[in-house]
Amino acid sequence: MRASLITPALRTELSALYRAEDRHYHGINHIKSLLGLLDEYRPSFSDPEAIEAAIWFHDAIYDSRAKDNEARSADLAREKLAGIADAERLNRIALTIEATATHTVPDIEPETARQDAALLLDMDLSILGTAPETFDAYEAAVRREYAWVEEPLWIAGRGAVLKTFLEREHIFHTDIFRSRFEEQARKNLRRSVNVLEARSGS
């Protein structure tokens, strides 16, 4: 096992970002949840230490009013991990972070790195396939992060996002997470879309 790329000082610095008061979902508990999944599925990763770094950085910059959070988070990773990870590995980490903007597997080499990225993207979406009460708490927390958005715009925008996932052939990229979360995720998303449509009167 290779050494962690996240030094104690860096973990402290990033933890402070994730503990900001406006992070109702994209906070430290989200990071801990992903790290728990990484530990659970560690043998499935070719470079788990790189994915650990991607987890820590993927939401490091989070402003619900901005559209470039993932790109800025990737830039922060490039800055903070320079000299810790070699250039090729750091580039893979940054591209994996950027991929969380669209949850589309990035075109990176080698194939094992793409598989690692796919697993991370699936872990990031695993909340969609949790028990209904956990999913509802997640939806409520995200709404609080977007409290500045007026209700009609929220209903339209959130509904569109959820429908995008439902329209995919598969929500999850990997068999590992598809078998564990896909069925429940579709139930949760359909129910949430129905609630939003009822609130909109459509």
Side-chain angles (χ1 to χ4, degrees):
M1 183 167 61
R2 289 192 270 186
S4 174
L5 299 172
I6 306 298
T7 64
L10 192 49
R11 185 177 293 108
T12 298
E13 182 180 348
L14 292 169
S15 294
L17 293 177
Y18 285 109
R19 288 192 168 94
E21 290 184 359
D22 60 343
R23 290 179 180 251
H24 302 286
Y25 174 70
H26 294 90
I28 193 65
N29 286 335
H30 174 51
I31 300 305
K32 289 178 178 178
S33 176
L34 294 185
L35 292 173
L37 286 169
L38 174 62
D39 284 344
E40 184 177 350
Y41 292 101
R42 200 173 193 89
S44 300
F45 290 88
S46 65
D47 189 351
E49 293 77 23
I51 295 302
E52 178 196 17
I55 288 170
W56 272 106
F57 278 100
H58 83 288
D59 285 326
I61 305 297
Y62 186 75
D63 176 358
S64 65
R65 297 174 185 264
K67 306 252 184 225
D68 61 349
N69 290 317
E70 293 83 5
R72 291 171 62 203
S73 294
D75 287 344
L76 184 65
R78 290 181 187 277
E79 174 192 337
K80 297 294 184 178
L81 296 176
I84 299 176
D86 64 66
E88 182 181 348
R89 196 178 186 202
L90 182 50
N91 188 55
R92 292 200 305 268
I93 293 169
L95 291 174
T96 299
I97 292 167
E98 290 171 357
T100 62
T102 61
H103 284 92
T104 301
V105 180
D107 185 17
I108 53 178
E109 297 292 343
E111 171 62 29
T112 52
R114 284 199 298 280
Q115 179 68 8
D116 280 2
L119 287 165
L120 171 61
L121 295 177
D122 282 358
M123 291 194 302
D124 197 32
L125 290 182
S126 62
I127 188 68
L128 301 182
T130 53
E133 59 272 19
T134 303
F135 175 82
D136 289 346
Y138 150 74
E139 285 281 86
V142 173
R143 180 64 180 109
R144 288 197 298 276
E145 291 181 343
Y146 285 84
W148 56 273
V149 178
E150 294 181 3
E151 187 72 357
L153 292 176
W154 170 258
I155 289 171
R158 186 63 178 171
V161 169
L162 300 184
K163 287 175 183 176
T164 297
F165 286 116
L166 281 172
E167 288 165 0
R168 290 184 175 188
E169 181 180 1
H170 300 292
I171 295 170
F172 297 93
H173 299 288
T174 66
D175 291 339
I176 292 173
F177 286 94
R178 199 174 294 155
S179 62
R180 179 171 175 179
F181 292 114
E182 183 88 17
E183 183 178 357
Q184 186 60 46
R186 290 193 175 276
K187 290 178 181 177
N188 287 335
L189 291 172
R190 288 191 193 100
R191 181 169 56 83
S192 190
V193 167
N194 289 340
V195 169
L196 289 169
E197 289 179 344
R199 281 160 54 185
S200 72
S202 61

